[in-house]
Amino acid sequence: MTHLVPLAKEVDDDKVTPGVLGFIVFAVMALAVWGLMKSMNRHMGKVDFKEPEDSSAKAEAKASSDAGPQRG
């Protein structure tokens, strides 16, 4: 990191630029986001959004509908 200090002295004191280090940090962050998006896409592809048919839940629903309205 100390070898970057002499490069900073060549720049005008009134001008602020991100420089090479800023570009490297931005590029690393962009690659990290790209990797995370690719991983998320792969994991979301494995998700099954359909609920499995549950015969006991259907039987309970049918039994409650056959009993008719309950009065308190």
Side-chain angles (χ1 to χ4, degrees):
M1 203 61 160
T2 57
H3 63 283
L4 295 176
V5 174
L7 295 176
K9 290 297 179 186
E10 297 174 6
V11 178
D12 185 17
D13 290 337
D14 296 330
K15 184 177 178 183
V16 178
T17 61
V20 177
L21 184 62
F23 174 75
I24 292 171
V25 169
F26 181 78
V28 168
M29 288 175 56
L31 285 172
V33 168
W34 177 77
L36 286 171
M37 294 290 286
K38 190 171 182 176
S39 175
M40 183 186 70
N41 193 22
R42 189 179 320 125
H43 281 84
M44 291 300 286
K46 293 179 183 178
V47 174
D48 183 20
F49 290 103
K50 295 180 183 176
E51 290 187 21
E53 303 240 354
D54 189 9
S55 60
S56 63
K58 281 187 173 182
E60 288 177 11
K62 187 174 181 180
S64 65
S65 66
D66 288 344
Q70 296 179 358
R71 297 187 179 199

